Amino acid sequence: MPVIRSVFFDLYGTLFTYGNMGHAFQAWHQTLANALLSFGKKISVHEIKEHCKKFFTLPIAPNEEFTAYEIRLRKFFSDYQLEVSSTWLHSFANSSMDSWQAEITLHSEAIPLLSALQKRNIHTGIISNFEHAPHVRNLLKSSGLEPYLQTIILSAEVQLKKPDSRIFLLASSLSSISPQETLFVGDNPKEDFEGAKNAGMQTYLYKNASPLMPILEIINKHDS
């Protein structure tokens, strides 16, 4: 059994714990309703919820000026005959994500675990499929996670998404550590577990809000 020299994590549902996601999306829908109202469009939150059922499923082509999330928002407002400026769109994308983020908190063991891993000279990083990279970058700074992550891979920035094995192989390339010596920790059976396994990584399927520190025990077993 190869030793573990690198640990990569999924972000949401792993290092960050999901709370009441029904409330999270309710707050997000309300933010959209408030934005429409500011433009003189009074649309109910229920109608917006129905309108957004396919919001995150439509394919989005890469764009240098806008994130995939911003492109989705621009289409949303266009559906209501509104053309918003780029400056306004960038600002609203961040604030609307903040409303959703309110129900998601940093796991209390995230920083202690990452700190312990770094003290053992184990490379640490994240691989996230999140579509709006500015939000994640700001979140990593404000939460205090950033100093503990040596490699940050966001699908929005590399144009790859889990479970595509190439995004996991990119992590190995950037860390200069082989997939066989890398452990990937995530909560999604297909995107995280199968994706990392297909790339040759060791895997740990994590359950949202469960303890993180047992990951150290897994590493100890590989070292013995």
Side-chain angles (χ1 to χ4, degrees), residues 8-77:
F8 276 82
F9 297 86
D10 177 40
L11 189 61
Y12 286 101
T14 307
L15 295 180
F16 277 87
T17 299
Y18 288 125
N20 188 322
M21 297 313 293
H23 288 173
F25 280 98
Q26 177 75 10
W28 181 66
H29 292 139
Q30 184 64 61
T31 302
L32 295 177
N34 292 345
L36 288 172
L37 187 59
S38 72
F39 289 107
K41 305 275 187 177
K42 188 175 182 179
I43 310 295
S44 71
V45 172
H46 175 74
E47 180 180 329
I48 289 172
K49 180 180 178 180
E50 292 299 308
H51 185 97
C52 288
K53 281 186 173 179
K54 295 183 178 180
F55 185 94
F56 290 103
T57 60
L58 296 174
I60 300 294
N63 186 296
E64 292 184 1
E65 184 179 359
F66 301 104
T67 68
Y69 177 60
E70 289 171 337
I71 293 171
R72 296 183 193 281
L73 284 175
R74 188 168 60 173
K75 182 184 182 306
F76 170 84
F77 288 110

Side-chain angles (χ1 to χ4, degrees), residues 17-216:
T17 299
Y18 288 125
N20 188 322
M21 297 313 293
H23 288 173
F25 280 98
Q26 177 75 10
W28 181 66
H29 292 139
Q30 184 64 61
T31 302
L32 295 177
N34 292 345
L36 288 172
L37 187 59
S38 72
F39 289 107
K41 305 275 187 177
K42 188 175 182 179
I43 310 295
S44 71
V45 172
H46 175 74
E47 180 180 329
I48 289 172
K49 180 180 178 180
E50 292 299 308
H51 185 97
C52 288
K53 281 186 173 179
K54 295 183 178 180
F55 185 94
F56 290 103
T57 60
L58 296 174
I60 300 294
N63 186 296
E64 292 184 1
E65 184 179 359
F66 301 104
T67 68
Y69 177 60
E70 289 171 337
I71 293 171
R72 296 183 193 281
L73 284 175
R74 188 168 60 173
K75 182 184 182 306
F76 170 84
F77 288 110
S78 178
D79 289 345
Y80 289 98
Q81 293 77 50
L82 291 172
E83 296 298 326
V84 298
S85 71
S86 298
T87 301
W88 186 92
L89 184 62
H90 293 319
S91 176
F92 179 76
N94 291 328
S95 63
S96 62
M97 276 288 97
D98 288 342
S99 69
W100 175 83
Q101 182 74 40
E103 289 288 337
I104 303 167
T105 56
L106 180 67
H107 195 299
S108 62
E109 295 180 356
I111 289 179
L113 173 61
L114 291 168
S115 177
L117 292 174
Q118 289 198 352
K119 287 176 181 177
R120 295 177 61 166
N121 294 317
I122 293 175
H123 187 101
T124 55
I126 62 167
I127 305 175
S128 174
N129 274 358
F130 207 76
E131 288 190 341
H132 190 54
H135 175 76
V136 175
R137 293 286 179 179
N138 290 335
L139 181 65
L140 295 178
K141 289 179 181 178
S142 64
S143 66
L145 273 185
E146 188 179 51
Y148 298 96
L149 299 169
Q150 295 163 275
T151 303
I152 298 170
I153 300 176
L154 307 178
S155 62
E157 295 177 342
V158 300
Q159 307 305 322
L160 293 169
K161 294 184 71 172
K162 298 177 294 183
D164 190 330
S165 62
R166 290 176 297 173
I167 198 168
F168 297 99
L169 295 175
L170 175 61
S172 291
S173 175
L174 292 175
S175 66
S176 299
I177 297 172
S178 71
Q180 293 75 21
E181 295 175 304
T182 299
L183 174 68
F184 188 81
V185 180
D187 66 312
N188 188 295
K190 182 174 179 60
E191 292 181 357
D192 297 324
F193 187 82
E194 289 185 20
K197 189 175 182 180
N198 289 339
M201 290 182 175
Q202 301 178 56
T203 53
Y204 180 74
L205 186 59
Y206 174 79
K207 183 179 179 180
N208 179 57
S210 62
L212 281 168
M213 296 308 285
I215 291 169
L216 289 176

